[in-house]
Amino acid sequence: MKLNNIKWYAQQDLIIKILLVMFSTAVTVYFFPKSDRFKYDYVEGEPWEYETLYAPYKFPILKSEQQLKEDRAEIIAQTPRHFYKEPFKYNTAFEGWQEAIRTSLPDSTYKKEVRPVIKNLERSLKQVYERGYLEDTQDLEGISPIVLKNEDNSTQLAYDDLIIPEELQEIIRQDLLSISNIALQDRLRKRLLLVLKPNVFFDQQLTDLNIQSELDKILPTQGLVAQNARIIAQGEIVEGRKLRILETLNSSYESQTWTESQYNWKLTGYLVLVGMAYTMLLLFVYKYRPAVYATNKKLAFIYFNLCLFAVLTSVVLKLNIDYIYIVPVCMLPLILKAFFDARLGLFSHVIIIFILSFVVPSSGEYLFLQMMAGIVTILSGKEIYKRANLFVTVSQIVGVYFVSYFAFYAIYQGGVSGWEWDRVLYFVLCGLAMLFVWPLIYVFEKMFNMVSDVSLLELSDTNSKLLKELSNNAPGTFHHSLNVANIAETAANEIGANAMLVRVGALYHDIGKMRNPTYFTENQGSGINPHDDLDPEESAEIIIDHVINGIEIAKKYKLPDRIIDFIRTHHGDNTVYYFLKKAQNINPDIDTADYQYPGPRPFSPETAILMISDSVEAASKSLKTPTSAAIDKLVDSIIDSQIAAGQFLNADITFKQIELLKAVIKKKLAGMYHLRIEYPE
């Protein structure tokens, strides 16, 4: 039973990593758009670039929106409008008008001017009302068909068969032309028009019902494509009927209703592909970033960011596919580079772009644009904690988007006419969104208790509370830390390590000496050494405790774990050599473990650089005549002894890099201890 528990705990870490990959895969696929997508990208008027396409199943060809619009317009124009006729006693109205005119005019004028036109007017009005007088005119052509409903039947007519107000006025005017007095003509016409009322009215409700009935008969399809029928061959131009078939097939994929079995197979395929991509990332980290692989928190942070941008992109796709380039996917390598390194950031970016290409439209164009933008992000954003660098990086990313889109547009369209400025605006918005990388990094630092280059810049401020306290309580140690920081930063730049991280680690590596500052030689300004009154073992214990005290102080001030690592490892598991030798002179058989630092040994190039810089800088203070030869000998001796003690076995640092460190540290120390000319008194 005990053996089984041991095996379980041995595999527990691997099980956690597998579950992390599975959970990330499930989250990513869950947010993928549920509708399928046509896997071919085509442009109207361009040649078909793929293999000959055959119909996967039988389907009708959908009409285009423009064609449906034209069909609807034709139906609306050709459908008869409905009117109805009601009886109107125009004779009574006309007689009333005639009587009113007779009483208002002199008898001679009436007999001479008006009486001769009465019969013509009466005959004309009879014809008008037999045809039908419509006062509420409609926006129709003269030949437009209408249906006129009487009390007994309905008649098919044309719109111009009805009399409208303009025609009635003209008829009356013609009948009154024989009257010589123009003013009288106008007076008679206006008074007659006032008494005449329409007998034909537009039936809006019946007309609308009739039109809608005809519109409902419009078929959304035209023709049928048989299964396995050839749709388009490679090299043929995408236009006309071929274009409509492709658009129909595309629409059918997007709206396709899957059976439960089909959907399960589709889901399985997505899970396999996304799972493979995430597994490749895990294997990359295992192979090339073992320190990251060993920490589940860091792995969770990486996969959290991948899922975040995958989900964000999927949500935008569901909202509006046109906004796909607003999503700042290039923020991912920028974030990972701030916490880890450029290589991991770029590999993660490649993985997420491949995953998103499963669901985004024009996947080839999307892959190229995002890949180029990601590479530019890695190449240009060397020091994200500098504001100018971030703005330059964002500008370059937007520029890459713009140039790449311009090139693709020129390829597809054979020119730049009809340029879509909306797409350029999306690129600019994407760049602006990337400026939020600073607050996002701060949030991630608090969520995952990690440190980025931005926080390192803040920690490097010597006016911070902790460094101020170190400067006041242990000024010699503070000055020593500054010298070590300068040496270590220069050395890190020489071999391509994280210079900012090394500098901050050097500033805080000896904060434990604040507990007993006078027990360390750099703080003994009075010449009194308290170790003279102590046993070697007690002195060694005080010296060794500055590492433990430093860790406690660092945790009290909530320094990041990456900085605490420098405090833990800057002496490795070396011995307190001075007091060990002093004790051995008294008793050769003492236990050396009592004089040994607890470790661990340095486990990164940065922590190894700090150990070397700290040892060399401290030892250089013992040189009575710091000549170039003496400095070279001291540096070689200290570093060679550390190599012999196996202090750098876990630090992932090469002999070539160590030789480079020796050279740059020698040069740095020579500059610090250069001789000045003696000024005359």
Side-chain angles (χ1 to χ4, degrees):
M1 184 67 178
K2 187 175 181 180
L3 183 61
N4 291 335
N5 289 337
I6 294 174
K7 290 181 178 180
W8 163 252
Y9 284 117
Q11 300 299 323
Q12 184 178 9
D13 190 60
L14 178 60
I15 293 173
I16 292 174
K17 291 177 173 60
I18 293 174
L19 291 176
L20 177 62
V21 171
M22 293 174 63
F23 178 76
S24 302
T25 301
V27 170
T28 302
V29 174
Y30 177 80
F31 282 93
F32 272 1
K34 299 300 184 290
S35 61
D36 204 355
R37 193 177 66 82
F38 195 44
K39 67 178 181 178
Y40 301 104
D41 298 319
Y42 56 89
V43 180
E44 183 179 1
E46 291 292 316
W48 179 256
E49 300 177 355
Y50 308 99
E51 72 280 359
T52 300
L53 179 63
Y54 295 93
Y57 46 80
K58 182 179 179 181
F59 62 92
I61 305 171
L62 295 176
K63 294 179 180 178
S64 66
E65 284 298 324
Q66 180 61 30
Q67 190 171 357
L68 287 173
K69 184 178 180 181
E70 292 174 357
D71 290 349
R72 285 193 290 268
E74 184 179 358
I75 290 296
I76 292 173
Q78 293 180 356
T79 302
R81 273 37 174 194
H82 284 257
F83 297 84
Y84 60 91
K85 181 184 287 187
E86 291 185 350
F88 174 68
K89 296 181 178 180
Y90 69 91
N91 289 327
T92 303
F94 182 72
E95 290 174 358
W97 169 81
Q98 183 179 354
E99 184 63 27
I101 292 298
R102 183 168 49 221
T103 57
S104 63
L105 292 176
D107 190 57
S108 59
T109 303
Y110 177 79
K111 290 180 179 180
K112 181 180 179 182
E113 298 288 346
V114 179
R115 183 180 290 176
V117 302
I118 292 297
K119 289 187 177 181
N120 290 336
L121 279 173
E122 193 172 7
R123 189 184 312 113
S124 298
L125 290 179
K126 181 179 179 181
Q127 294 175 355
V128 166
Y129 281 94
E130 285 178 353
R131 289 176 59 184
Y133 171 42
L134 175 69
E135 192 174 69
D136 182 17
T137 58
Q138 302 296 310
D139 185 17
L140 297 172
E141 296 182 2
I143 60 173
S144 298
I146 67 170
V147 175
L148 183 60
K149 184 179 180 181
N150 296 312
E151 294 180 353
D152 300 328
N153 59 5
S154 297
T155 308
Q156 294 278 350
L157 300 172
Y159 182 63
D160 58 5
D161 289 334
L162 299 177
I163 301 297
I164 59 178
E166 290 80 4
E167 294 181 66
L168 179 60
Q169 291 184 40
E170 181 62 23
I171 291 171
I172 295 174
R173 191 184 69 82
Q174 290 292 335
D175 287 339
L176 296 175
L177 280 177
S178 60
I179 299 176
S180 58
N181 189 333
I182 302 300
L184 181 58
Q185 283 185 29
D186 188 57
R187 177 184 171 189
L188 295 175
R189 179 175 56 81
K190 289 182 177 179
R191 293 192 65 171
L192 180 58
L193 289 173
L194 288 175
V195 300
L196 296 179
K197 303 298 180 183
N199 69 332
V200 173
F201 303 90
F202 178 59
D203 192 338
Q204 181 73 56
Q205 184 177 4
L206 185 57
T207 299
D208 290 343
L209 289 173
N210 192 31
I211 291 176
Q212 188 59 49
S213 175
E214 295 299 319
L215 289 176
D216 292 341
K217 297 177 183 178
I218 297 177
L219 294 177
T221 62
Q222 53 176 7
L224 196 67
V225 177
Q227 186 176 6
N228 298 324
R230 192 183 77 172
I231 297 175
I232 189 170
Q234 187 175 21
E236 289 184 343
I237 303 299
V238 180
E239 59 183 0
R241 180 180 172 84
K242 296 183 180 66
L243 175 62
R244 290 302 315 139
I245 296 175
L246 289 173
E247 290 176 345
T248 300
L249 194 58
N250 191 0
S251 300
S252 67
Y253 269 89
E254 292 179 353
S255 60
Q256 189 169 14
T257 303
W258 297 86
T259 64
E260 184 177 355
S261 175
Q262 289 174 323
Y263 181 79
N264 289 336
W265 278 110
K266 176 185 175 182
L267 187 64
T268 301
Y270 273 142
L271 289 172
V272 170
L273 292 177
V274 176
M276 286 176 60
Y278 282 149
T279 302
M280 292 302 106
L281 176 60
L282 184 66
L283 294 176
F284 171 85
V285 175
Y286 170 77
K287 180 73 174 178
Y288 297 104
R289 297 295 180 269
V292 177
Y293 181 83
T295 309
N296 289 331
K297 181 178 69 175
K298 294 179 179 179
L299 283 175
F301 172 73
I302 294 172
Y303 280 98
F304 172 81
N305 277 277
L306 266 69
C307 290
L308 174 65
F309 285 97
V311 170
L312 183 60
T313 304
S314 298
V315 170
V316 171
L317 275 173
K318 295 176 182 178
L319 294 177
N320 192 327
I321 200 170
D322 294 334
Y323 298 157
I324 186 66
Y325 284 103
I326 296 181
V327 182
V329 181
C330 289
M331 194 184 287
L332 175 65
L334 211 56
I335 292 173
L336 295 184
K337 185 182 178 183
F339 287 98
F340 304 107
D341 59 81
R343 191 175 180 184
L344 179 57
L346 181 59
F347 194 88
S348 301
H349 181 70
V350 171
I351 291 295
I352 195 63
I353 293 304
F354 277 130
I355 290 174
L356 293 178
S357 67
F358 299 153
V359 293
V360 298
S362 302
S363 56
E365 178 181 341
Y366 182 85
L367 272 172
F368 185 87
L369 263 67
Q370 298 292 12
M371 202 73 74
M372 292 299 103
I375 292 173
V376 168
T377 303
I378 293 298
L379 294 179
S380 61
K382 185 177 181 181
E383 296 172 323
I384 188 177
Y385 54 83
K386 293 183 179 180
R387 290 174 296 179
N389 285 352
L390 180 59
F391 282 102
V392 170
T393 299
V394 170
S395 300
Q396 291 175 343
I397 291 171
V398 174
V400 167
Y401 278 141
F402 180 84
V403 173
S404 301
Y405 174 64
F406 171 83
F408 275 108
Y409 194 89
I411 291 172
Y412 291 152
Q413 302 297 330
V416 293
S417 60
W419 181 269
E420 298 179 13
W421 288 103
D422 288 349
R423 184 70 64 86
V424 179
L425 176 62
Y426 299 155
F427 296 152
V428 174
L429 292 176
C430 176
L432 294 176
M434 288 194 62
L435 296 178
F436 287 91
V437 68
W438 279 326
L440 196 59
I441 287 175
Y442 176 79
V443 171
F444 287 155
E445 286 176 340
K446 300 305 179 183
M447 286 177 58
F448 293 90
N449 192 25
M450 298 174 66
V451 61
S452 69
D453 289 347
V454 179
S455 292
L456 290 177
L457 180 63
E458 296 174 355
L459 291 171
S460 67
D461 183 9
T462 54
N463 289 317
S464 65
K465 183 178 179 181
L466 181 54
L467 291 181
K468 275 285 188 182
E469 187 176 344
L470 177 63
S471 176
N472 293 330
N473 296 340
T477 299
F478 178 73
H479 186 263
H480 160 72
S481 298
L482 288 177
N483 288 337
V484 173
N486 291 331
I487 296 171
E489 183 179 20
T490 305
N493 282 324
E494 185 68 22
I495 66 170
N498 191 330
M500 178 60 72
L501 178 62
V502 174
R503 179 175 181 82
V504 176
L507 289 174
Y508 292 92
H509 79 285
D510 269 344
I511 56 175
K513 292 181 179 180
M514 289 193 298
R515 292 279 176 87
N516 299 293
T518 57
Y519 284 87
F520 300 91
T521 55
E522 65 265 26
N523 299 311
Q524 295 170 358
S526 62
I528 300 175
N529 190 343
H531 289 289
D532 294 339
D533 301 326
L534 299 176
D535 293 333
E537 185 175 350
E538 292 176 321
S539 296
E541 183 179 358
I542 293 174
I543 299 299
I544 292 171
D545 281 348
H546 89 274
V547 174
I548 305 300
N549 293 334
I551 295 173
E552 292 176 354
I553 294 172
K555 290 184 176 180
K556 176 183 176 182
Y557 282 84
K558 298 181 179 180
L559 291 184
D561 291 340
R562 292 178 75 184
I563 306 304
I564 296 176
D565 288 341
F566 286 92
I567 301 174
R568 294 167 53 225
T569 61
H570 75 278
H571 284 296
D573 57 3
N574 283 315
T575 57
V576 186
Y577 187 74
Y578 177 84
F579 293 108
L580 174 62
K581 287 299 181 183
K582 187 176 179 180
Q584 287 177 340
N585 290 334
I586 300 173
N587 180 13
D589 298 327
I590 62 168
D591 186 3
T592 58
D594 295 333
Y595 297 84
Q596 191 172 22
Y597 285 99
R601 295 174 178 179
F603 48 77
S604 68
E606 288 79 11
T607 51
I609 291 171
L610 177 61
M611 171 181 277
I612 293 172
S613 302
D614 179 46
S615 302
V616 169
E617 200 281 336
S620 66
K621 297 292 177 55
S622 65
L623 293 175
K624 295 180 180 180
T625 55
T627 62
S628 178
I631 291 174
D632 291 353
K633 182 178 179 180
L634 175 70
V635 171
D636 289 336
S637 173
I638 290 177
I639 295 179
D640 289 343
S641 65
Q642 290 173 338
I643 294 174
Q647 295 299 319
F648 306 138
L649 292 177
N650 302 324
D652 192 22
I653 191 169
T654 65
F655 284 113
K656 180 179 180 180
Q657 289 175 323
I658 290 176
E659 292 302 316
L660 291 173
L661 292 176
K662 286 182 179 180
V664 72
I665 291 174
K666 290 174 183 177
K667 184 177 179 180
K668 190 72 176 177
L669 285 176
M672 292 171 61
Y673 292 105
H674 68 281
L675 297 177
R676 296 183 180 271
I677 62 173
E678 185 176 352
Y679 289 89
E681 296 181 358

